[in-house]
Structure formats: structure tokens, C-alpha cells
Amino acid sequence: MSIAPLTILHDRARVVTFSKPFLTLGISIMIKRPEKQKPNVFSFMDPLENLIWVCIVVASVGVAMILFTVSRISPVQWVIEKSEVGSKPQNDFSLGNSAWFVLGALMQQGSDILPRSFSGRVIGSLWWFFTLIVIASYTANLAAFLTIEKMDMPIKSADDLLNNRDIDYGTKTNGSTLLFFQKSKVDTYKKMGEYMTRTKDKLPSKVEEGVNKVRNSKGKYAFLIESTTNEYHNQRSPCNTMKVPGPNLNEQAFGIALPDKSPLREKINIAILQMQSDGFMQQLYAKWWYDKGECGDPNDQGKDSRKVGLSLSNVAGIFYILIGGLVLAMFMALVEFMFKSKKEAKRSKVCMKRAMHCEARLSIHGNSNICSNSDFETFESPSPPSPVKYGSSGHTKPSRTLITFSNTNDHDQKRNTLV
């Protein structure tokens, strides 16, 4: 009698008698566990595809343009504002305010202006409903994308292994697994069997040899092995191997080999069926495969992702966007400051430097009277002095007058002008 990981095959059944299968298995692929995929800086955008983001931007622009057009057409949206100079029609929904309304609704923050017309309210209501669904869908998927750590699987099936030129593969020499590939009628398995037959001298002679080859190959070797043996070695240190997710390549079973017409066969079959119905076989499997394993939770074995805590690399993109927005805001504020200073210098006929100095003091102190009249002194043509008569002839002699100018140069200049 032989109790071992012995696969039930029809060739073996010709010379020995097998008991009922005590363990069902299949051929699987063992590979080295791939490195953890580094999170993308903008991984917070992963819950939605790029096409959806583009559609949201296009929809936002379109809604803003239509809302602006409808507000201009509808007479309800116009109001008359009275002032000292007279009455003037006013419409709150300018192009900028329409875009601000759309953006506020998209960010779930609202806006300080609301449409008055029925058509504008219809557009606003539909846009609110649209943003409600989009934000809810995005939020529901965001947690999963940020807390699940993905691994880049090099192969996912036997077809990938056959077509991948960078990863070599093999199985144990003179085993049932090699025999399966050599006799298979499936085209993919048949080609793999032909390749392993040609390279039979490179195939490992023991299972441990093949497992070590996988561990030391830096992801360039795959070992074809029974699924139970695969799972057993995956639970052993250094915990750097794994089973390729997916169904097994075939269905096999382990059985107890007995001499032909052995009287123990019936008793062994009854005992095996009894242990399977009581769950005892499953308890033994969990005990020796996982409870005594060295690699943690067995539920993570064979999966291409697991939950992890958030790190800075997961959300670094939002910090980049925040910093970029702050820099852009400071730049635009500087542009507005320069534009206002230039406009004020032109209006008051002073140099740009003096206008900027006055605007800077105004920004710091916040007092509109901080700039004195001397800062914005304008030129006026002086009235000609009255002539002075001298001598008996009554001729007039031009008088010399000192006039001080505050011109547009960087420094105050004084000059004498002969009037």
C-alpha cells in the first residue's frame, strides 16, 4: 500500500488499484510574487476613466455656456438697478458667474447667485442631479482604489506563459504533470509539452529544485506543479512565490495505491468518504497548509491586490494641485497689481514706480486715503507772469521765475525755466 501525493492516472491504474480520491487538485502555475505596484501620484483620478473626466469637463463648459445664453435671453433674469447717474439693466449671470455657478455645484459647495428664470432653474436642477450622481459614484469607488494595493501580474494564464518570451517554464522530470502536457490534445498545452520535451535536460528532478529556481530567477521562471503542492510551498518562508490566479489547467486527484484486488480497498474507501463528509479532510488540509504556514493570511495568497493604509504617495497629486493653484493665484494677483498700477500711473500722469509704491501701501494698510495728493501730482501749465516795466522807454523785461516740476522720471528733478 502506498500513501503519497500520487496522482490517479489510467496508466497507473493498470498495475495497481486506487482508492477513492482523498484530495482533488489540478495543475497550476507557480511564479515569483511580483513587486508591489507603486501608487500613481494622481491615483485619486483612477475611480473614473479618462474619457469620463473629459466628458465632465466638456459638460461643465457646455452647461455654463447654455446657462449664460438662457439668462441673457430670458427677461426675468434682468433687473433694473437705480443709481445716481440713472437706471441700468443688470444680469447676474455673466459668463464668469455662470462658470462659477457650474463649478460650485460640481464641488458640492453651491453659489451665491441663483437663477430667477424658469429655464435657468431647469438647467440648474438638472446640473445638480448630474453632479449628485457623479460625486456619489466617484466617492463610492475612491476608497477602494486608494486602499487596495495592486501587483503587476506578468502572466495570468497558460496562453500568456506560452507567448511570453521573457519567462521560461518547466515542470518536474518524469512526473504526471509532464505526461499530461505531452499527451494533451489542447493546442496550447501540446506546444508547452513539446517545448519541455526538447528542454528536458533543464527540467528540475525534484519539486524543491523547481521551487528554488522560481525563487532565485527574479521573476523569469515559472514552475508547473500540482495546485496543492503549489499552495503548500507558497506558505513557506521566504514567502516570495504565489499561484497564478484562476482555474487549474486540469482536474486531478490523489489516491492511495493498493495491490490489485486488495481486500483493504473497500474499507479504505469507506474511511475516506466518512472523513470527507465529516469535514475532517478539510481540517487536516487547513492545519498543515495554512495554520502551520509562515506567510500570514492564506486569503491573500493568489490574489493580485490587498488592502493597505493610505500613504503620501496615494494622495500626493492633490497636494501638487493645491500648490499649483496657490502659485497660479499669486501670479494672477501680481498681474492684477501691475495692471492696476499701470492704469493708475497713466491716469494720474506719474511714473510707474510711484504708482506701484502707492498701490503697495494701499494693499498693506487697507486705507484708501493712504495715497496723498502729492503722490499723484499732475502737471498744469503755469499762468504767465505779468511783465515788469523798467526804464523810461517803458520796455518790458522778462522776469526769471523758478518752477519745480514733479515729472515722470525716477527722481524728482528741478530746473530753472525762463518765462
Side-chain angles (χ1 to χ4, degrees):
M1 182 172 60
S2 174
I3 301 177
L6 192 63
T7 306
I8 300 175
L9 298 175
H10 68 278
D11 292 337
R12 295 173 178 173
R14 293 175 181 174
V15 294
V16 296
T17 299
F18 281 100
S19 67
K20 293 288 186 181
F22 63 85
L23 190 61
T24 303
L25 64 148
I27 298 175
S28 61
I29 305 174
M30 174 188 283
I31 60 173
K32 187 173 182 180
R33 182 174 291 275
E35 298 292 334
K36 300 173 184 177
Q37 189 176 12
K38 294 182 178 180
N40 185 11
V41 174
F42 296 99
S43 57
F44 64 91
M45 299 183 66
D46 292 341
L48 301 179
E49 294 183 354
N50 294 334
L51 180 60
I52 298 180
W53 287 112
V54 173
C55 292
I56 291 176
V57 173
V58 173
S60 301
V61 175
V63 171
M65 296 295 296
I66 295 176
L67 182 61
F68 168 74
T69 304
V70 167
S71 299
R72 289 284 170 175
I73 295 175
S74 176
V76 181
Q77 199 63 47
W78 291 90
V79 295
I80 304 298
E81 290 189 356
K82 296 182 180 180
S83 60
E84 297 178 356
V85 296
S87 300
K88 181 181 179 181
Q90 184 69 24
N91 194 324
D92 292 335
F93 277 88
S94 61
L95 187 58
N97 287 344
S98 299
W100 182 250
F101 174 83
V102 170
L103 181 62
L106 185 61
M107 297 298 176
Q108 303 290 290
Q109 299 300 317
S111 176
D112 53 350
I113 56 174
L114 295 173
R116 298 188 186 92
S117 63
F118 178 77
S119 55
R121 291 178 178 179
V122 169
I123 296 175
S125 301
L126 293 176
W127 179 247
W128 289 337
F129 177 76
F130 173 83
T131 57
L132 175 65
I133 301 301
V134 170
I135 297 300
S137 303
Y138 173 79
T139 306
N141 294 325
L142 180 62
F145 275 87
L146 292 182
T147 58
I148 290 181
E149 191 176 61
K150 297 181 179 179
M151 292 185 296
D152 187 13
M153 299 294 296
I155 56 174
K156 298 181 179 180
S157 63
D159 292 320
D160 294 342
L161 185 60
L162 179 64
N163 299 324
N164 195 318
R165 302 299 180 182
D166 297 330
I167 301 179
D168 194 13
Y169 58 90
T171 186
K172 178 185 173 183
T173 307
N174 300 326
S176 61
T177 302
L178 179 60
L179 187 63
F180 163 77
F181 284 100
Q182 291 174 340
K183 294 186 176 182
S184 177
K185 302 300 182 181
V186 181
D187 188 57
T188 300
Y189 302 159
K190 184 178 180 180
K191 292 180 179 179
M192 294 175 67
E194 293 174 354
Y195 171 77
M196 287 186 288
T197 302
R198 293 195 306 266
T199 60
K200 194 173 182 179
D201 55 334
K202 298 181 181 180
L203 298 180
S205 58
K206 297 181 179 179
V207 173
E208 290 76 11
E209 183 181 346
V211 173
N212 291 331
K213 193 172 183 180
V214 172
R215 289 173 174 169
N216 301 324
S217 63
K218 298 181 180 180
K220 300 299 182 181
Y221 186 78
F223 190 45
L224 300 166
I225 189 176
E226 288 87 357
S227 57
T228 52
T229 309
N230 194 345
E231 294 169 357
Y232 178 82
H233 285 282
N234 292 338
Q235 281 292 312
R236 299 300 176 264
S237 182
C239 306
N240 59 352
T241 59
M242 65 173 293
K243 175 187 172 185
V244 173
N248 297 325
L249 306 185
N250 71 338
E251 293 295 332
Q252 296 177 341
F254 287 159
I256 299 175
L258 299 166
D260 191 22
K261 299 180 181 180
S262 173
L264 298 177
R265 182 175 183 271
E266 184 176 356
K267 295 180 180 179
I268 292 176
N269 288 339
I270 294 174
I272 291 175
L273 294 176
Q274 183 66 35
M275 287 188 293
Q276 288 178 342
S277 61
D278 294 342
F280 182 71
M281 298 296 292
Q282 188 63 29
Q283 291 178 4
L284 290 177
Y285 185 83
K287 174 183 177 181
W288 293 103
W289 262 252
Y290 299 124
D291 293 347
K292 294 184 178 295
E294 303 170 351
C295 300
D297 188 359
N299 293 325
D300 289 339
Q301 300 297 325
K303 294 185 178 180
D304 59 350
S305 62
R306 64 186 183 91
K307 290 187 177 181
V308 294
L310 285 178
S311 61
L312 180 61
S313 56
N314 294 101
V315 294
I318 59 177
F319 288 96
Y320 292 157
I321 293 177
L322 177 61
I323 295 174
L326 295 177
V327 172
L328 178 62
M330 293 297 296
F331 175 76
M332 294 303 299
L334 182 60
V335 171
E336 293 175 354
F337 176 80
M338 298 293 293
F339 178 78
K340 179 66 184 310
S341 300
K342 184 177 180 180
K343 184 178 179 181
E344 191 65 32
K346 184 177 181 180
R347 183 187 67 83
S348 303
K349 297 181 180 180
V350 296
C351 64
M352 183 69 175
K353 181 178 180 181
R354 178 170 293 182
M356 290 177 60
H357 179 68
C358 180
E359 290 294 331
R361 289 193 296 171
L362 177 62
S363 300
I364 296 173
H365 297 283
N367 189 353
S368 60
N369 298 324
I370 198 68
C371 297
S372 60
N373 294 331
S374 60
D375 292 317
F376 292 142
E377 183 180 357
T378 58
F379 295 135
E380 294 183 0
S381 300
S383 57
S386 57
V388 179
K389 295 183 180 181
Y390 66 97
S392 60
S393 61
H395 296 289
T396 60
K397 180 180 179 181
S399 61
R400 189 176 300 273
T401 305
L402 182 63
I403 301 177
T404 301
F405 288 86
S406 178
N407 55 16
T408 58
N409 295 329
D410 293 342
H411 302 285
D412 293 339
Q413 298 180 358
K414 294 183 180 180
R415 62 179 180 176
N416 294 331
T417 305
L418 186 62
V419 180

